[in-house]
Amino acid sequence: MVAIEPEEKTEHPIELVLARLLRLGSLVAAALLAVGIALMILGQTGLAPKLITAGLLVLLGTPVMRVIAAAVIFVKERDWHFALFSLVVLCALAAGIYFGKEM
């Protein structure tokens, strides 16, 4: 009887890069928000709103940076199909930001 060995789960390098980018963005945003909220509770109203705003901007910018990073990786790998998809997603995000601020 032949023993079947379980396949090792290997992640593609792009998945690791994008996961690290999301994790880093989330951690930076959480730290900025936590410090901002703590300062607001302590009565430091000068710096607190700026840190909270920065945390929210980092949180909102993280998915955009993920799409940009994916596009760069796909172009480097000469995977034009997915590079084009990334460009389309980036254009859709840019259009959403542009038309969203006009309202």
Side-chain angles (χ1 to χ4, degrees):
M1 182 178 269
V2 176
I4 299 175
E5 295 182 26
E7 294 181 25
E8 289 186 30
K9 188 175 182 179
T10 59
E11 293 185 34
H12 196 272
I14 188 172
E15 294 170 357
L16 293 175
V17 170
L18 297 179
R20 287 180 184 147
L21 182 62
L22 286 174
R23 188 177 307 120
L24 178 65
S26 299
L27 290 173
V28 169
L32 288 168
L33 288 168
V35 171
I37 291 170
L39 288 175
M40 188 171 281
I41 290 171
L42 294 173
Q44 301 291 329
T45 57
L47 184 60
K50 293 176 184 176
L51 288 174
I52 292 172
T53 301
L56 291 173
L57 287 174
V58 170
L59 191 63
L60 291 171
T62 299
V64 176
M65 290 305 298
R66 183 182 193 272
V67 173
I68 292 170
V72 168
I73 291 169
F74 288 137
V75 167
K76 282 184 177 181
E77 291 180 354
R78 298 189 184 277
D79 191 345
W80 306 118
H81 191 95
F82 284 110
L84 178 64
F85 283 150
S86 296
L87 180 63
V88 169
V89 171
L90 193 58
C91 288
L93 286 169
I97 291 169
Y98 176 75
F99 291 117
K101 73 175 184 172
E102 293 293 320
M103 294 183 150

